Amino acid sequence: MGLFDSFRAMLGISAESDATTKADPEDLFGMSTAYLTMEADLRFDSADEAALCFSSVDSTDFADTVDAVEDILTAGGEETGTEFRRHTDGHGYNWVVLADDDPEDLVTSVHFAADEFIERGYGSRLLAALFGFERDGDRAYWIYSFRRGAYYPFAPQGTSTRNQSLEFKLESVLDGELTIEDDESYWYPLWPSTRNGHPWE
């Protein structure tokens, strides 16, 4: 399943009907302690980047909302040094990508951005928040699905293969610390376009 197929599934009728758990942006703060556990128990360091993915609406009000999100991130960056950029991928999905060597600042910035979308009535446009980790050349991600209100691990090997044994290891270690999606059919792969790239690139 490719990136487009993954998002199509997330946005499809089945995903809508199965989204029985309302996403709570406060869930994102669970990642603050997860960063510590990933480092202490699994030797994974922060990749110093995180991302928020959302689909757009062709309206002036939505454009104003995106501008407000950027204003919030700009103001926050003046205090924390967190940098951000926004781009639209080849499938028409929008990404806010954040860079900071302090994981706490990444979590806070993603939360601020997501909360602004929700407060302005566009929570349904939020797809996923991604937090990246690295260890000895390997990459792993915790992905928060706004459709399901839960996290799941993703460990890509290249652009079309995933390390499922590592994903299950991440699940076993972080279970109880994060709200983890218990239906593995919803562990959608968000493939990077290049072997050493991130899904948001």
Side-chain angles (χ1 to χ4, degrees), residues 108-123:
T108 300
S109 296
V110 172
H111 174 269
F112 280 157
D115 194 52
E116 185 68 13
F117 278 110
I118 292 171
E119 288 296 316
R120 287 174 171 260
Y122 291 106

Side-chain angles (χ1 to χ4, degrees), residues 52-186:
L52 183 69
C53 184
F54 61 95
S55 59
S56 64
V57 178
D58 187 14
S59 74
T60 300
D61 187 60
F62 185 76
D64 290 343
T65 296
V66 174
D67 288 342
V69 169
E70 293 189 358
D71 288 343
I72 288 173
L73 294 176
T74 297
E78 292 176 356
E79 286 191 20
T80 64
T82 305
E83 299 178 350
F84 79 93
R85 65 185 186 277
R86 187 168 69 87
H87 75 95
T88 302
D89 65 27
H91 302 299
Y93 294 98
N94 298 275
W95 295 84
V96 174
V97 182
L98 301 130
D100 197 308
D101 59 8
D102 185 338
E104 189 71 31
D105 291 341
L106 290 175
V107 173
T108 300
S109 296
V110 172
H111 174 269
F112 280 157
D115 194 52
E116 185 68 13
F117 278 110
I118 292 171
E119 288 296 316
R120 287 174 171 260
Y122 291 106
S124 64
R125 311 312 298 178
L126 294 171
L127 300 179
L130 286 71
F131 301 90
F133 298 85
E134 297 176 335
R135 182 186 69 183
D136 299 329
D138 293 328
R139 284 183 171 172
Y141 302 86
W142 278 105
I143 300 176
Y144 180 76
S145 169
F146 288 94
R147 294 288 179 182
R148 299 286 293 174
Y151 286 93
Y152 64 91
F154 177 51
Q157 293 179 313
T159 59
S160 60
T161 304
R162 61 198 302 174
N163 186 341
Q164 291 186 313
S165 63
L166 176 56
E167 291 176 0
F168 291 137
K169 177 65 174 179
L170 296 180
E171 177 194 26
S172 68
V173 173
L174 275 296
D175 188 25
E177 188 167 341
L178 296 175
T179 301
I180 298 178
E181 173 61 60
D182 56 8
D183 186 343
E184 293 165 17
S185 68
Y186 287 100

